[in-house]
Amino acid sequence: MIFILIPAKLSSSRLKRKNLRKINNKTLLEISIRFAHSLKIKKKIFVSSESKKILNIARKLNCEIIKRPKKLSKPNTEMKLVINHFIKSQKINNNDMMLLQPTSPIRSIANIIKAYKIFKEKKAKGIYSISEVLSE
């Protein structure tokens, strides 16, 4: 089984409530949750947030929720601290974990599954996806 973490704080220093911003009538949070549900792998989906509003949305979309401390929801909080909080709160040991950030909504199911297969076959400790940014 894979544990999928979607970190979604409410506040943002540059774009207010960015995880609740909409693309095609769906919030960035909802896009990530629906994507996670669409993966044809055995999974458990978690949303980590300090926001009751975000956690309520996650609950309605059949996700487990993690109430994140405010100190881990500041603009300068490193993602590794959020991940460590998740791992400790769920007592995760030697399980696969996937991080889906709502602010990166353009994903391919095929690419994620391919990356996951490589991760399993190579017995890797981690795998990351990146995309080239094209400028005019």
Side-chain angles (χ1 to χ4, degrees):
M1 175 176 340
I2 188 164
F3 291 82
I4 299 175
L5 173 60
I6 301 171
K9 63 182 184 171
L10 184 64
S11 61
S12 172
S13 55
R14 290 180 290 171
L15 185 60
K16 301 296 178 205
R17 302 166 63 99
K18 71 179 169 189
N19 288 313
L20 297 178
R21 295 285 174 138
K22 292 187 176 187
I23 297 176
N24 294 331
N25 290 326
K26 291 189 178 104
T27 65
L28 292 174
L29 173 64
E30 183 181 354
I31 290 167
S32 291
I33 291 171
R34 290 188 185 282
F35 180 87
H37 280 300
S38 74
L39 294 171
K40 303 288 187 233
I41 53 179
K42 190 173 180 181
K43 64 201 169 273
K44 197 167 186 182
I45 304 167
F46 296 84
V47 172
S48 168
S49 184
E50 84 294 359
S51 164
K52 287 181 184 178
K53 181 176 181 106
I54 287 176
L55 294 175
N56 285 336
I57 292 167
R59 191 178 291 116
K60 287 177 185 173
L61 293 172
N62 298 316
C63 295
E64 301 287 327
I65 60 168
I66 309 278
K67 179 72 169 157
R68 191 187 318 170
K70 295 241 187 246
K71 69 180 182 181
L72 294 179
S73 299
K74 296 181 179 178
N76 60 346
T77 301
E78 294 181 45
M79 186 55 64
K80 69 181 180 182
L81 297 175
V82 175
I83 293 169
N84 285 338
H85 175 259
F86 167 66
I87 289 169
K88 287 178 183 172
S89 72
Q90 297 306 303
K91 299 177 177 67
I92 296 173
N93 292 318
N94 299 320
N95 288 299
D96 298 342
M97 193 189 116
M98 181 183 299
L99 180 72
L100 295 177
Q101 295 184 328
T103 54
S104 300
I106 301 172
R107 306 176 184 97
S108 158
I109 290 174
N111 285 344
I112 296 291
I113 295 299
K114 182 178 177 183
Y116 184 62
K117 285 181 181 177
I118 292 169
F119 171 79
K120 295 298 277 181
E121 288 169 7
K122 302 285 184 184
K123 297 181 179 160
K125 291 186 179 190
I127 192 165
Y128 303 89
S129 67
I130 58 171
S131 297
E132 182 178 3
V133 176
L134 302 176
S135 61
E136 295 180 26

